[in-house]
Amino acid sequence: MTETPLDAPRAWAELTDPAEPAQRLRVDLTWLTSRWRCIFGAGCHGIDAAQPDAGCCTLGAHLTDDDDVARVAAVAQRLGPDEWQLRDEALAEGWLVDTEDDDADGPPSRATRVVDGGCIFLNRPGFPAGAGCALHQHAVAEGVEPLTTKPDVCWQLPLRRTYRDVELPDGTAYLEITITEYDRRAWGPGGHDLDWYCTGSPEAHTGAEPVFVSLRPELVELVGPEAYAVLARLCEEHLAATAAQTRAAGPDGRPLLPLLVHPATRAAGTLRTE
């Protein structure tokens, strides 16, 4: 099935953050109401065809700040050898490295080490605890959200949050926070060279729930509970409008096209119109 073009039309909504009136959220309804789900271990091809079992972990994870490093370090100390396949490697050589793209004028950029084509926290197929991120698996075993154990970039993916200062003609200004799909472009220039990527692939748009529901904990962490409540209502209204449009008959008696649906969700056949 064909991957969704990067510039496919999208529906957006804007809202003032109920908790921070000086902020406005710009949310991608097309993405948030899509049926994307992570298919790691269930058909994921991986971003590198030579390492399909590594999913999107082939490049390691770039840590955002000291708090990000501290959170992951605390979890890494609690992981036992039955949970973390490369624990001995990490104890001997470390799990954190400085990256080559450091800004000489800023703090060092840090990332998880890459070992044999994958993040050092990635358990490979055949490991007794199962393949996948040791940090994620630890969270599941402890009954906590993975966002409390994983690097920021990992638990946020495939959501993307960006910031922009907006100045209005009357001299006022606000901070615009955009929540959208972490598509190929978000990876930088190299994103266009990924062998496969899930967000635009119909193979990954087979979720039982829309993204704004399935990724609720992550969205609440990104925008706060008050803003999420408004975001969820807008998504529900969008889905209702899309369903009504899909059921309606056009001038020639044929159903109208669901123009507000993520193309990958439509191609996957998981659009709900009931």
Side-chain angles (χ1 to χ4, degrees):
M1 291 182 278
T2 304
E3 186 173 318
T4 299
L6 289 173
D7 293 318
R10 291 174 183 265
W12 295 83
E14 293 189 5
L15 61 131
T16 298
D17 187 339
E20 296 287 346
Q23 297 180 171
R24 284 186 63 78
L25 271 70
R26 178 173 174 265
V27 296
D28 181 351
L29 296 178
T30 301
W31 169 244
L32 294 173
T33 58
S34 77
R35 293 286 171 161
W36 177 90
R37 69 181 181 98
C38 179
I39 57 172
F40 179 84
C44 176
H45 301 280
I47 60 176
D48 182 351
Q51 300 284 346
D53 294 325
C56 56
C57 303
T58 57
L59 303 177
H62 286 251
L63 286 302
T64 57
D65 54 26
D66 290 341
D67 289 341
D68 200 16
V69 173
R71 181 179 61 256
V72 175
V75 180
Q77 289 180 344
R78 299 197 300 268
L79 294 177
D82 58 329
E83 296 180 284
W84 187 8
Q85 186 177 17
L86 298 180
R87 181 175 179 271
D88 289 345
E89 174 88 16
L91 290 175
E93 302 291 338
W95 60 267
L96 190 65
V97 296
D98 291 339
T99 63
E100 296 178 356
D101 58 348
D102 285 348
D103 181 354
D105 298 324
S109 177
R110 293 159 294 183
T112 60
R113 282 183 59 207
V114 173
V115 178
D116 296 332
C119 174
I120 196 168
F121 287 105
L122 178 68
N123 293 333
R124 275 56 171 184
F127 185 62
C133 174
L135 300 169
H136 186 106
Q137 292 171 331
H138 180 78
V140 173
E142 293 294 314
V144 299
E145 293 294 341
L147 64 86
T148 64
T149 63
K150 297 170 66 175
D152 285 338
V153 68
C154 297
W155 69 256
Q156 291 179 23
L157 196 73
L159 299 169
R160 188 181 186 214
R161 178 179 60 181
T162 60
Y163 299 91
R164 182 172 72 105
D165 290 317
V166 177
E167 295 186 5
L168 299 174
D170 63 358
T172 60
Y174 64 87
L175 176 65
E176 179 185 83
I177 303 174
T178 295
I179 302 295
T180 186
E181 174 183 338
Y182 200 101
D183 61 17
R184 284 178 175 270
R185 283 175 293 206
W187 289 81
H192 298 282
D193 299 325
L194 301 179
D195 291 321
W196 181 82
Y197 191 54
C198 62
T199 68
S201 173
E203 292 172 87
H205 281 250
T206 56
E209 299 175 318
V211 164
F212 79 93
V213 176
S214 63
L215 297 184
R216 180 185 183 279
E218 290 81 1
L219 286 164
V220 170
E221 184 70 18
L222 288 174
V223 304
E226 296 92 344
Y228 175 80
V230 181
L231 177 154
R233 176 175 57 78
L234 292 171
C235 286
E236 290 165 354
E237 292 173 352
H238 178 80
L239 285 174
T242 301
Q245 182 194 54
T246 304
R247 291 193 300 267
D252 57 359
R254 293 183 299 179
L256 294 174
L257 292 175
L259 299 177
L260 304 181
V261 179
H262 195 292
T265 293
R266 189 187 315 158
T270 49
L271 171 67
R272 306 297 200 271
T273 60
E274 64 277 0

